[in-house]
Amino acid sequence: SKEEGGQQARFFKKRMEESFTEKMLLDHGLHEALQDNQFELYYQPKINSSTGKISGMEALIRWNHPKFGTISPATFIPLAEDLGLIVDIDRWCINQACKQLKFWQDKGYAKVPVAVNLSAKNFHQTDLIKTLTDILEKTGLEPQYLNLEITESIFIREIDHVIEKIKQIHRLGISISIDDFGIGYSSLNHLLNLPIQEIKLDQFFVRDINQNKRKEAIVKTIVLMAHELNLNVVAEGVETIEELDTLRQFQCNEFQGYFFSKPLTADKLIHYIKQHS
Ligand code: C2E
Ligand code: CA
Ligand code: CA
Ligand code: CA
């Protein structure tokens, strides 16, 4: 009816206004977040399959918003990409992670690398290499302790440009992992030509792998292929002992997931390191 139609229109207008306000607030807050020190890095341990010891860690950003509390990167990273703030945020993350790891190393802990996520947008701006060089120089962290995680989405445009950047990063001595491997745009050809050291199997392939013969077949084959190419294989999002057993049987090199540990604050991570080194 006409009345229903009117109600619907009002409903949608209200919803639009709400999401607009929310976006405005986030947007406004996001610009201030860097200056106001509202970001924090959490660290999730990576575990070596054969030793059971910590083999590295991934830095994951959190936004401690003064009004909304902790906001997940899944919410604000896409917004930061739209607003053109992601390059600054990623630079902050790389710097913070390098500074933190160097601090731990100087105290005698954590002779393992830290991995930082890099948005695809960073590959399409000019001074990524200078940023990385400056950060390593300023923090004094040796480059082999920094690892950058990139996703297959970087390969969808300006491909020659991206390849050149990856090679330059490699020349700096920084290692590169392909994150969320297997769910994005197929990049088997890039594995052939690029100096990449690691793939991270997406959680999608890990979840209930022990109950799914087809997932098993795919993962087993990916690991075999990766090892033929001298690539390290990390399984992400490992939550159960059954998943772990299957992945171990297929010879994944490293594991990450709630089964071992959630992402931890810097203070808590150091306790984890002391117990698992
Ligand atoms: P990602 O890089 O694939 O990170 C893995 C996500 O899975 C993290 O979510 C982590 O907390 C979560 N996770 C780890 N183990 C488990 C598990 O056993 N089970 C389940 N269900 N989840 C697990 P988080 O921290 O919310 O990050 C989400 C995404 O946001 C990341 O996905 C990454 O794409 C992006 N992100 C996080 N930090 C940064 C950053 O500093 N810079 C950029 N550019 N992106 C970031
Ligand atoms: Ca990642
Ligand atoms: Ca991932
Ligand atoms: Ca992901």
Side-chain angles (χ1 to χ4, degrees):
S1 74
K2 205 169 164 191
E3 177 54 24
E4 269 171 343
Q7 255 174 10
Q8 258 191 2
R10 278 193 296 277
F11 173 75
F12 282 117
K13 184 163 178 292
K14 191 162 174 290
R15 281 290 300 276
M16 263 178 57
E17 279 168 359
E18 276 169 8
S19 76
F20 182 72
T21 322
E22 191 184 333
K23 195 170 180 316
M24 281 289 289
L25 278 171
L26 279 172
D27 176 343
H28 189 61
L30 207 47
H31 278 102
E32 293 173 339
L34 265 180
Q35 291 105 300
D36 291 359
N37 237 342
Q38 293 167 9
F39 291 123
E40 182 177 3
L41 287 185
Y42 276 52
Y43 299 89
Q44 188 177 35
K46 287 161 90 179
I47 308 299
N48 180 298
S49 166
S50 24
T51 65
K53 291 180 177 171
I54 186 169
S55 53
M57 59 189 113
E58 177 177 4
L60 293 156
I61 195 170
R62 300 290 178 264
W63 180 10
N64 301 316
H65 193 282
K67 270 203 233 96
F68 306 132
T70 305
I71 302 178
S72 143
T75 308
F76 72 84
I77 293 289
L79 196 58
E81 286 177 338
D82 288 348
L83 296 170
L85 294 169
I86 191 66
V87 172
D88 289 338
I89 293 176
D90 280 353
R91 186 192 299 120
W92 179 85
C93 289
I94 301 165
N95 186 59
Q96 184 65 23
C98 290
K99 204 168 76 181
Q100 181 68 70
L101 186 62
K102 178 72 171 126
F103 174 79
W104 284 328
Q105 291 188 343
D106 287 348
K107 296 194 147 195
Y109 308 118
K111 278 285 173 197
V112 293
V114 65
V116 181
N117 293 282
L118 205 55
S119 158
K121 292 260 151 62
N122 284 284
F123 277 82
H124 307 298
Q125 53 110 25
T126 47
D127 58 357
L128 175 63
I129 303 302
K130 185 175 183 312
T131 300
L132 292 169
T133 313
D134 288 350
I135 290 175
L136 288 173
E137 199 184 285
K138 205 176 81 189
T139 61
L141 186 76
E142 293 169 69
Q144 72 265 29
Y145 290 110
L146 178 61
N147 168 251
L148 296 176
E149 296 190 7
I150 61 181
T151 63
E152 294 163 302
S153 64
I154 66 163
F155 297 120
I156 54 180
R157 64 188 185 96
E158 296 181 68
I159 185 71
D160 292 340
H161 191 68
V162 169
I163 290 174
E164 186 47 37
K165 285 233 167 114
I166 290 181
K167 290 183 174 165
Q168 286 176 319
I169 293 173
H170 180 65
R171 275 185 236 121
L172 291 179
I174 297 169
S175 63
I176 296 176
S177 307
I178 302 215
D179 201 1
D180 302 346
F181 188 84
I183 59 157
Y185 308 85
S186 168
S187 60
L188 294 180
N189 57 324
H190 304 305
L191 292 184
L192 194 63
N193 300 317
L194 286 175
I196 283 162
Q197 287 74 41
E198 181 174 273
I199 59 174
K200 298 189 76 178
L201 264 184
D202 193 80
Q203 321 193 352
F204 171 79
F205 290 108
V206 170
R207 189 68 53 248
D208 296 326
I209 183 174
N210 53 297
Q211 297 169 28
N212 186 329
K213 289 288 163 214
R214 297 174 72 87
K215 270 190 195 175
E216 283 193 6
I218 291 174
V219 169
K220 195 173 171 178
T221 310
I222 290 177
V223 178
L224 277 172
M225 173 196 71
H227 286 169
E228 286 293 315
L229 296 168
N230 279 322
L231 294 166
N232 195 50
V233 182
V234 182
E236 293 194 307
V238 180
E239 291 184 356
T240 69
I241 185 97
E242 291 81 12
E243 291 166 352
L244 177 65
D245 284 343
T246 307
L247 292 160
R248 206 178 252 147
Q249 191 190 320
F250 296 155
Q251 283 166 24
C252 283
N253 308 88
E254 288 174 65
F255 306 111
Q256 197 183 337
Y258 296 168
F259 179 76
F260 297 98
S261 171
K262 290 196 167 177
L264 303 169
T265 60
D267 283 351
K268 291 203 172 126
L269 185 95
I270 201 66
H271 288 291
Y272 190 93
I273 287 187
K274 287 178 189 166
Q275 285 165 355
H276 298 86
S277 286

